[in-house]
Amino acid sequence: MNPLKRLGRRRASVLSLLAVGALVTPVAATAAPDAVRASTLGAQAAQSGRYFGTAVAAGRLGDGTYSTILDREFNSVTPENEMKWDATEPSRGSFTFGAADQIFNRATARGQRVRGHTLVWHSQLPGWVSSIRDANTLRGVMNNHITTVMNRYKGRIHSWDVVNEAFADGGSGQMRSSVFRDVLGTGFVEQAFRTARSADPAAKLCYNDYNIEDWNAAKTQGVYRMVRDFKSRGVPIDCVGLQAHFGAGGPPASFQTTLSNFAALGVDVQITELDIAQAPPTAYANTVRACMNVARCTGITVWGIRDSDSWRSSENPLLFDRGGNKKPAYQSTLTALGGSAATQRSGVRSDRSAARSHKSAAALPSRFSWNSSGKLISPKSDATHNIAGIKDPTVVQYNGKYHVFASVAGSSGYNLVYLNFTDWSQAGSATHHYLDRTAIGAGYRAAPQVFYYAPQRLWYLVYQTGNASYSTNPDISNPNGWSAPRHFYSSMPDIIKQNIGNGYWVDMWVICDSANCYLFSSDDNGHLYRSQTPVGQFPNGFTNTVIAAQDSKFALFEASNVYKVQGSNQYLLLVEAVGSDGRRYFRSWTASSLAASWTPLAASESNPFAKSGNVTFPAGAWTRDISHGEMIRAGYDQTLTIPPCKLQYLFQGKDPNADGDYNLLPWRLGLLTQTNSSC
Ligand code: XIL
């Protein structure tokens, strides 16, 4: 946004059809060298430091087709049943490791790592355990089992599923009934992890479960609370395994958010038992991409090799058919492993050119329609802040909350505010924390953008101060944690000076792929600029500023957003335009990479991304402007990934009759929800 001078409604007549259907001129598309693409799943995953594994059944190892694929494609194995309690300690104190050893020895001889599965589970549990009623006896039996099994492979198992499936399905968010919980109480999980740490300090200790992929599920929240509690109390836990047994629709839209949120607790996440009914290629790609987009998602295991090997055989959920041939999902998985996600680990670039060379898997529609909420967030003036409008929101979901930063405008100028809340019904009652009271300081600060820069484990708030500025904070929920402003540039880049005319340099926006971070900005004069720096140098080194798109002044005005579309090779560009009615609206474009040219998607006044004409207002038409805001993202890191479906956009709007000084207009925040989502 431009805080200094606004055009108001007087420009309406001159706009005419300038904006309609105008084509943005692509400038300076640069191509990075293509990556060396690996030809097997394990090798491709290894390029980003991850593993790609499969469940293995000892009884199938003699099948040549099976073992050939196993050794060619996978660099990790999980014994499908052979390390479970009924296999390893069928009667008390009598341990049998024949089949487990067979898988373990074969894998280690070939350099494949082994996941241990599983030590404490209510299922495939011998009757002699499930009939124990005495707590001391059961505790002793459980500890002895963990210790004995872990000891056998001590130092040589990469990760252990210490406890499997302890939580209940449904809405309780509590642990399920089992002999362990019923006799020992819920503390059995902690006990198991402590015992496991002592038995093999080298192994990563995982909690593994199914139906914890949807961030909104009560079961996910229950597991999340447990892991958070463990981390806060120092109970040893290193990872969360998400089984990912999916229906044909694949992962829920929030899957990456779930991975990110667990990872943010300080644990690795692993996809441990992936299979998807009918194996739709897009569903596999979406799953893999979510992992690739989360630095601490360290590997993926599919639950079997051929459809005929699957425990869900009738659903054909795997990557190879019964004859051992690669299915379409194999290719989409391989592509996604080398695809366009940001992995940010030790300089290894896993995505490189995939985004340029493959068609998108889950394209956005080319027309949009929306429902708008009423006004959700209004200014809250206090003794020292007389606020006329709240504007330019940026929003992430993190730790079960929405965190919103926005500009606040009034007669004394522009500064920033922060609020958080658990759901939109709470947004209006959230406390407003004015950031001029923090190290961010007083004076002109506006148009914030927030994201978590995973490589540095730090939150960034990007905003305008006349220059492009940022502050950092280790804890997004602590308003006082922000550092004093620093500048991205020493001064305005020359190309902007040459093109800005009578405009203003506004609305800085950062997005990164695995190789580079890009800083976009606008000039209220028809130009979208783009600078770049390698991810390892961020936030320093922004250079090579080019005009990424240009059009007439009002057709390409300001408030640009750029996002990665989850599960596809698409990036989405939104730019705010001023319509022929003088009202604000958004146009949209897509591109196959951040430095590629932008192709119109819904980019005209008659087919806008979001304008009052394609928005319905069930709560009353409180605004005709759909102005500066931000999409609700699927994650919160620097990749700015948005879901492909059911888009939501937090925007600023205002009373259609309000007039006068631009800086005193009564901007309020509302939420658009897409109504024509096909998925
Ligand atoms: C399954 C195996 O694939 C089957 O062969 C066996 O009959 C039952 O167990 N969650 C888990 C896995 O943690 O151990 C399960 O494996 C599948 C669900």
Side-chain angles (χ1 to χ4, degrees):
M1 53 74 55
N2 163 3
L4 303 177
K5 179 201 77 167
R6 299 317 278 204
L7 300 163
R9 288 153 61 182
R10 63 193 143 81
R11 97 246 331 149
S13 57
V14 302
L15 286 168
S16 68
L17 296 177
L18 276 178
V20 179
L23 201 67
V24 167
T25 310
V27 180
T30 44
D34 277 13
V36 179
R37 306 294 301 283
S39 58
T40 66
L41 300 167
Q44 188 63 60
Q47 286 198 5
S48 67
R50 294 178 172 83
Y51 67 84
F52 200 96
T54 179
V56 167
R60 298 182 198 275
L61 289 171
D63 175 332
T65 307
Y66 183 87
S67 59
T68 299
I69 302 172
L70 170 60
D71 295 341
R72 186 186 69 217
E73 298 288 342
F74 300 97
N75 54 14
S76 173
V77 306
T78 306
E80 186 173 356
N81 291 298
E82 293 77 355
M83 288 186 178
K84 293 172 181 174
W85 201 314
D86 61 354
T88 51
E89 195 186 4
S91 58
R92 186 169 176 175
S94 138
F95 288 86
T96 53
F97 291 110
D101 283 356
Q102 199 190 339
I103 295 173
F104 180 87
N105 292 335
R106 188 180 184 289
T108 44
R110 286 166 174 76
Q112 294 161 319
R113 61 167 79 166
V114 180
R115 293 195 83 257
H117 176 79
T118 177
L119 295 166
V120 180
W121 187 26
H122 64 274
S123 186
Q124 295 181 272
L125 184 68
W128 70 265
V129 184
S130 48
S131 56
I132 295 173
R133 290 288 166 268
D134 175 67
N136 285 335
T137 306
L138 184 59
R139 193 175 304 109
V141 158
M142 182 182 82
N143 289 339
N144 182 55
H145 181 78
I146 293 169
T147 305
T148 308
V149 177
M150 288 186 86
N151 246 331
R152 183 164 189 94
Y153 307 104
K154 187 168 178 171
R156 296 181 298 160
I157 292 238
H158 179 270
S159 302
W160 263 111
D161 292 331
V162 177
V163 175
N164 200 32
E165 301 181 355
F167 277 75
D169 291 312
S172 77
Q174 303 299 312
M175 285 188 197
R176 70 168 75 231
S177 168
S178 72
V179 66
F180 300 108
R181 194 214 63 176
D182 298 349
V183 175
L184 298 176
T186 57
F188 84 88
V189 181
E190 173 172 350
Q191 173 76 65
F193 275 85
R194 291 192 185 279
T195 304
R197 180 66 99 225
S198 315
D200 184 355
K204 287 202 180 262
L205 306 182
C206 306
Y207 176 79
N208 191 53
D209 214 328
Y210 66 95
N211 281 355
I212 57 167
E213 294 83 9
D214 181 348
W215 177 243
N216 304 308
K219 188 170 174 181
T220 309
Q221 293 297 314
V223 173
Y224 180 82
R225 281 192 295 271
M226 178 187 76
V227 176
R228 187 174 59 189
D229 170 57
F230 279 15
K231 293 302 286 185
S232 74
R233 291 190 296 112
V235 179
I237 183 166
D238 306 304
C239 60
V240 173
L242 297 97
Q243 293 185 7
H245 295 296
F246 291 133
S254 61
F255 185 44
Q256 186 180 318
T257 298
T258 305
L259 296 176
S260 299
N261 287 350
F262 275 117
L265 292 176
V267 291
D268 289 346
V269 287
Q270 304 181 16
I271 296 174
T272 51
E273 304 181 13
L274 177 61
D275 50 21
I276 308 181
Q278 315 313 332
T282 308
Y284 264 97
N286 289 347
T287 309
V288 172
R289 284 182 188 288
C291 180
M292 297 297 288
N293 283 336
V294 176
R296 289 198 78 157
C297 183
T298 59
I300 299 172
T301 298
V302 287
W303 206 239
I305 297 178
R306 298 163 301 190
D307 287 332
S308 47
D309 303 320
S310 171
W311 73 312
R312 302 167 66 187
S313 191
S314 65
E315 296 175 282
N316 298 318
L318 294 175
L319 300 178
F320 295 87
D321 69 18
R322 284 153 206 275
N325 305 301
K326 296 171 182 173
K327 294 165 60 180
Y330 172 94
Q331 193 53 51
S332 73
T333 298
L334 184 63
T335 301
L337 285 170
S340 57
T343 61
Q344 324 293 356
R345 36 186 62 240
S346 57
V348 177
R349 290 165 52 190
S350 66
D351 61 345
R352 298 193 173 97
S353 64
R356 279 178 291 283
S357 51
H358 298 277
K359 289 206 87 165
S360 79
L364 293 167
S366 54
R367 299 190 75 87
F368 293 86
S369 55
W370 309 89
N371 241 330
S372 175
S373 70
K375 294 176 217 172
L376 294 176
I377 300 175
S378 300
K380 291 189 177 174
S381 296
D382 64 14
T384 53
H385 298 89
N386 185 14
I387 311 296
I390 183 161
K391 303 170 47 80
D392 317 324
T394 179
V395 53
V396 288
Q397 293 179 83
Y398 175 74
N399 253 349
K401 285 187 170 166
Y402 290 99
H403 301 260
V404 172
F405 297 79
S407 309
V408 281
S411 49
S412 59
Y414 282 78
N415 206 279
L416 304 173
V417 70
Y418 163 70
L419 52 150
N420 69 43
F421 44 87
T422 48
D423 60 65
W424 293 104
S425 66
Q426 307 294 310
S429 51
T431 302
H432 288 205
H433 302 273
Y434 289 102
L435 298 182
D436 59 352
R437 293 181 177 138
T438 73
I440 287 176
Y444 165 35
R445 285 109 177 80
Q449 182 213 6
V450 71
F451 60 88
Y452 181 71
Y453 194 64
Q456 296 168 0
R457 297 172 188 244
L458 212 49
W459 292 93
Y460 274 76
L461 193 66
V462 173
Y463 49 94
Q464 66 195 46
T465 56
N467 200 320
S469 304
Y470 65 92
S471 295
T472 62
N473 190 343
D475 176 6
I476 192 174
S477 65
N478 175 14
N480 292 313
W482 292 104
S483 62
R486 277 176 288 231
H487 296 336
F488 285 111
Y489 304 95
S490 54
S491 62
M492 183 188 284
D494 284 343
I495 190 170
I496 304 183
K497 285 184 190 150
Q498 289 153 14
N499 288 280
I500 193 167
N502 292 326
Y504 298 92
W505 189 26
V506 296
D507 299 336
M508 289 73 187
W509 181 271
V510 170
I511 178 172
C512 310
D513 61 23
S514 64
N516 293 300
C517 292
Y518 296 87
L519 201 171
F520 290 87
S521 59
S522 297
D523 67 359
D524 282 1
N525 196 36
H527 304 98
L528 178 71
Y529 301 101
R530 186 190 72 232
S531 310
Q532 69 183 75
T533 191
V535 288
Q537 281 185 42
F538 178 83
N540 303 311
F542 274 108
T543 183
N544 291 338
T545 307
V546 297
I547 296 175
Q550 60 186 316
D551 204 332
S552 62
K553 174 173 180 148
F554 300 127
L556 200 80
F557 199 56
E558 58 182 9
S560 65
N561 294 179
V562 185
Y563 300 101
K564 176 68 182 15
V565 182
Q566 186 175 48
S568 80
N569 294 319
Q570 273 186 324
Y571 290 86
L572 174 69
L573 166 68
L574 307 178
V575 184
E576 185 179 350
V578 187
S580 51
D581 58 356
R583 304 293 179 178
R584 302 305 184 98
Y585 74 103
F586 281 97
R587 305 171 65 202
S588 60
W589 296 260
T590 61
S592 56
S593 76
L594 287 166
S597 56
W598 295 100
T599 304
L601 181 67
S604 65
E605 270 203 85
S606 54
N607 180 26
F609 179 74
K611 190 177 191 322
S612 55
N614 66 345
V615 176
T616 54
F617 291 88
W622 60 277
T623 179
R624 289 184 59 202
D625 292 276
I626 307 294
S627 182
H628 193 141
E630 208 186 279
M631 204 80 91
I632 307 301
R633 302 177 213 158
Y636 49 79
D637 69 13
Q638 72 285 348
T639 63
L640 307 190
T641 304
I642 57 166
C645 308
K646 301 188 184 80
L647 302 179
Q648 290 196 298
Y649 196 84
L650 182 64
F651 71 103
Q652 62 175 29
K654 62 171 166 52
D655 178 349
N657 299 316
D659 211 342
D661 182 346
Y662 184 85
N663 292 345
L664 299 180
L665 289 173
W667 294 100
R668 305 289 182 260
L669 306 184
L671 183 69
L672 300 180
T673 299
Q674 188 190 358
T675 53
N676 69 329
S677 180
S678 58
C679 48

